[in-house]
Amino acid sequence: MNDWASYQLQDFIPFTTDVYFRLIERMGETFWPLHVLTLALGAAAIVLALKGRTQLACLLPAPLWAFVGVAFFIQRYAELNWAGGYAGYAFIVQAVLLALVALTGFGLDKAPRLTSPPILIGLALAIFGLIGMPLIAPLTGGSWYQAEVLGIHADPTAVATLGLALIVFRGWALWAASIIPVLWVLVSGLTLQVLDAPRFQILFAVVAIGLVGLVWKSCESRRVLSTPSTGM
């Protein structure tokens, strides 16, 4: 116990800031112009979610999670940190979960109300993951190859999917579909904090906003279920 207590968070981050952002850049260089397809899938998922086509909206991100799990984590991130392999398998589990729910329709919100605050929060997070996050690197002095893109890099994939979950899921399925995205965004924020990268505050804000949305939608769903229906 004393040995574990002597460890600090930075002891679990065995790479430097330059090495980490070079990994991000390598992903961008290697898979361009696949970004165009992944962004199109993300945009389509958001539009379908808003139109109530929740099963298809849930299915589209599934291959993106599997791709990031293998190409980013297992094949590359794991070379820097042994925990990268486990993160990759978690992303694959998320891909399977999304695919299963999409095929069965279980736990999906068939008619999301666009005026509902949690769904508006989800929409904001999804758009931020799709459009906002790729702009952070170039706006802060990084190269365009360091732009983190949905379906290529882990952070925007998790952020956008958390937003989609708030739109298309309900009940316990909402939490089940959000656990891995929330945990990864939190881990990534802590990693960037240790690396002294200024972007970590953004990820912590995403976690906080996402949790507010999750609790809010859960309370809304519970209130709807507890309201007696008025029959003739």
Side-chain angles (χ1 to χ4, degrees), residues 93-171:
V93 168
Q94 179 75 11
V96 173
L97 174 64
L98 291 172
L100 287 175
V101 173
L103 293 174
T104 62
F106 190 76
L108 289 174
D109 190 348
K110 300 296 185 180
R113 296 180 296 108
L114 301 184
T115 57
S116 169
I119 290 179
L120 293 176
I121 291 173
L123 178 60
L125 289 177
I127 292 175
F128 176 68
L130 180 71
I131 299 174
M133 294 197 71
L135 297 176
I136 293 175
L139 289 177
T140 55
S143 72
W144 278 101
Y145 282 119
Q146 286 183 348
E148 296 187 63
V149 176
L150 168 71
I152 304 293
H153 300 92
D155 291 359
T157 303
V159 172
T161 303
L162 176 59
L164 277 174
L166 284 167
I167 300 173
V168 305
F169 285 95
R170 57 181 172 79

Side-chain angles (χ1 to χ4, degrees), residues 10-72:
Q10 51 264 38
D11 296 323
F12 297 93
I13 311 295
F15 46 81
T16 64
T17 305
D18 290 341
V19 169
Y20 180 75
F21 283 107
R22 178 54 187 153
L23 170 62
I24 299 297
E25 195 169 40
R26 278 172 50 208
M27 285 293 295
E29 293 171 344
T30 302
F31 293 106
W32 173 260
L34 185 61
H35 306 57
V36 177
L37 175 60
T38 61
L39 288 171
L41 288 175
I46 295 173
V47 172
L48 289 167
L50 296 177
K51 290 186 174 182
R53 303 279 301 277
T54 52
Q55 285 184 260
L56 190 53
C58 183
L59 181 62
L60 290 181
L64 304 183
W65 276 82
F67 177 80
V68 173
V70 174
F72 180 75

Side-chain angles (χ1 to χ4, degrees), residues 21 133 136 148 155 185-208:
F21 283 107
M133 294 197 71
I136 293 175
E148 296 187 63
D155 291 359
V185 175
L186 179 60
V187 168
S188 185
L190 291 171
T191 301
L192 293 179
Q193 184 179 26
V194 169
L195 296 176
D196 199 25
R199 309 176 193 178
F200 74 88
Q201 298 97 329
I202 297 174
L203 297 183
F204 288 160
V206 166
V207 171

